[in-house]
Amino acid sequence: MGDNIYKSIELTGSSTISMEDAISQAIAKASETVHDLQWFEVTSTRGHIENGKVAHWQVSLKVGFKLA
Amino acid sequence: MGDNIYKSIELTGSSTISMEDAISQAIAKASETVHDLQWFEVTSTRGHIENGKVAHWQVSLKVGFKLA
Amino acid sequence: MGDNIYKSIELTGSSTISMEDAISQAIAKASETVHDLQWFEVTSTRGHIENGKVAHWQVSLKVGFKLA
Amino acid sequence: MGDNIYKSIELTGSSTISMEDAISQAIAKASETVHDLQWFEVTSTRGHIENGKVAHWQVSLKVGFKLA
Amino acid sequence: MGDNIYKSIELTGSSTISMEDAISQAIAKASETVHDLQWFEVTSTRGHIENGKVAHWQVSLKVGFKLA
Amino acid sequence: MGDNIYKSIELTGSSTISMEDAISQAIAKASETVHDLQWFEVTSTRGHIENGKVAHWQVSLKVGFKLA
Amino acid sequence: MGDNIYKSIELTGSSTISMEDAISQAIAKASETVHDLQWFEVTSTRGHIENGKVAHWQVSLKVGFKLA
Amino acid sequence: MGDNIYKSIELTGSSTISMEDAISQAIAKASETVHDLQWFEVTSTRGHIENGKVAHWQVSLKVGFKLA
Amino acid sequence: MGDNIYKSIELTGSSTISMEDAISQAIAKASETVHDLQWFEVTSTRGHIENGKVAHWQVSLKVGFKLA
Amino acid sequence: MGDNIYKSIELTGSSTISMEDAISQAIAKASETVHDLQWFEVTSTRGHIENGKVAHWQVSLKVGFKLA
Amino acid sequence: MGDNIYKSIELTGSSTISMEDAISQAIAKASETVHDLQWFEVTSTRGHIENGKVAHWQVSLKVGFKLA
Amino acid sequence: MGDNIYKSIELTGSSTISMEDAISQAIAKASETVHDLQWFEVTSTRGHIENGKVAHWQVSLKVGFKLA
């Protein structure tokens, strides 16, 4: 009955704008194929540098969803 | 030849009864779609509290199986 | 408005019976003075041994509640 | 004499806007009752997802203050 | 004089019944040869799965005792 | 536009020869079904022992690939 | 009955003399308001430097006490 | 030939504006003396608080570059 | 019945040749006095350098065996 | 030939005086039965508190020695 | 007197051949400018994948040397 | 303006006397070439043993300073 089971997958989002945008893009992409994503947890924050500036923010995150 | 490759996935089981039951329910659910699950490892133990009592035990675990 | 702030405290419960009971006792004790405990997370599991048997299960946990 | 003692508490802030706002809200809430908060350290960054978008940014942090 | 020295060893207990039983069996086995075991700390919780059910609970623990 | 999203999965490769071979076999197996694997990171190195010799090298790794 | 519940708080002591003194000062300060402190565990050791010398030893510790 | 060697250094950037700005400032400063910075990884996020508000965001990061 | 108890010990092997050889030598040495070693897990990989070359590979590992 | 194998054991020393003394006492005790101890590494620092003062410093350490 | 001070730096070596070669290349490169490197410790092992094969082994390590 | 950037380096100090002295010696040595060291954080505490006594205390620490 009411006991739920969740699965979590690990994604890395990338953005030229901000850490929040990198996370949001990863979640948006995953939600194209997995419905009902429910939570995320950041596991690392990295980025690429070009010419002394951050070119891409890269945030890795676990994303959880309920198994139907 | 005989060298095997395994994949592991991360699940969170939930139970009103015990930590063992939360783990068992996660494994039972996963075995509906993945055959030949072989091992698990607990990664975190949490829960929800209602009225000063544990309402749900929530155990996250990695579950491994052999790639065919 | 709808944004909530939580505080978590760290407790260690002790039980002669089981790990679940050690957790439940810690939560019951804390709920005498803090209302509306919402979640917990286990941080370590230890115990005392007497005569080759587990005399007490000691489980440390973070317990979270909403700041009013 | 001049040696100071600090205490730290653990909070989780929540925001619909950004990670920085979640942190700032947690600190603003805590400063209603604890004077002279001095530093914070982020311990985890999570969030809730609704309809493929981040609904709430949830940042846990330790916050330190001087014991009078 | 009254200062004590302890040694800790690492064991893995196994049980078909529960996590507590896996711990208790490891401690019972170790107490056959080491007297005066005093404390334990769980370091990992794993298990073997057969046919979609937990076949064995395997709990690793450090166990401490006083050097005579 | 140019912002990419990656997914990572966790595998364990096994080899009678070396740690590098265990990693290579896991990657070769995964590339049968997932195209465009791009990076890996070792998470643990273990093995089985028979008759005082390493019988199998078992290396766990995260493997990342771009979501189409 | 005889099962005890403990709470732990996190402090940072500071001393111009030694790491032991920083710990002792934190515990002395906390014992002004919390009776029956029972144990501590060091979580980090830091310090401030002035003119190439350690000006303050700063030790963070968890301190545990029994809930009445 | 084509095998590259990288060095990484650890920096802490500080900003009154945001976590991203603290990172960008650290990278901009380092690029004054080290050419061809290529990547970064956040190792901790802290800050100073004044009057119940975040006065400075302080982000520590490893920054990598190719050895010529 | 059939429930087994394992003990693990920590060793550091050393080799002028490779990481695998350092592991194999540690296991060969331990098997002179402990029968039925069953598994190992690498805990750290270090080494000594002489004249800009690796002189010794030093691998620390936990090695497990069944208690008779 | 010249390749050495080391074993490490885990001890906890206790002292009323200092952290260094707790370490030294653990090593002195172990050297009564194990010859040629070569190195140690601190794994945790704890203590007991009585009447608002540190009653015992308890330091856990790994101690390594060469297998003959 | 006689007390030595060491500095450690963090490098990432890269090789098409093996993990040992990636480490050796990083150390060889560093020894061009830093004399008397004495020890290393591996901090992570990663790699790039091309066409389902490991194209580069990338090993990060801390390398220590004595300050003159 | 007011935003500062810091760099941290990792050192290991050695002393025959105490852990505090090992830290102080490392900082004294580093301050010969780097001005304005501001803080340190201990990352590991080890030592060499000779004849059942601690011959050298070896403390590794990160030391931070402001980039001019």
Side-chain angles (χ1 to χ4, degrees), chain E residues 11-54:
Chain E
L11 304 173
T12 301
S14 171
S15 165
T16 57
I17 300 171
S18 70
M19 301 192 287
E20 280 89 347
D21 188 52
I23 294 169
S24 294
Q25 292 215 24
I27 290 169
K29 181 74 183 175
S31 66
E32 292 175 6
T33 51
V34 183
H35 298 298
D36 214 10
L37 298 175
Q38 299 208 346
W39 54 266
F40 72 90
E41 177 179 359
V42 171
T43 56
S44 75
T45 302
R46 306 178 190 221
H48 278 298
I49 303 169
E50 289 177 12
N51 300 318
K53 293 187 195 312
V54 177

Side-chain angles (χ1 to χ4, degrees), chain A residues 8-66:
Chain A
S8 69
I9 55 175
E10 189 155 3
L11 304 172
T12 301
S14 171
S15 166
T16 57
I17 301 170
S18 70
M19 300 190 288
E20 280 90 347
D21 189 52
I23 294 169
S24 294
Q25 291 214 24
I27 290 169
K29 182 72 182 179
S31 67
E32 291 176 6
T33 50
V34 182
H35 298 298
D36 214 9
L37 297 176
Q38 299 207 347
W39 53 267
F40 72 90
E41 177 179 357
V42 172
T43 56
S44 76
T45 303
R46 306 178 189 220
H48 278 296
I49 303 169
E50 289 178 10
N51 300 316
K53 293 186 196 312
V54 177
H56 284 86
W57 303 90
Q58 297 176 312
V59 184
S60 295
L61 57 162
K62 291 187 182 183
V63 181
F65 55 94
K66 195 155 114 179

Side-chain angles (χ1 to χ4, degrees), chain K residues 27-65:
Chain K
I27 290 169
K29 182 73 183 175
S31 66
E32 291 176 6
T33 51
V34 182
H35 298 297
D36 213 11
L37 299 175
Q38 299 207 346
W39 54 265
F40 71 90
E41 177 178 358
V42 171
T43 56
S44 75
T45 303
R46 305 178 191 221
H48 278 297
I49 302 169
E50 288 178 12
N51 300 319
K53 293 186 195 313
V54 177
H56 285 85
W57 303 91
Q58 297 176 313
V59 184
S60 295
L61 57 162
K62 293 188 180 180
V63 181
F65 55 94

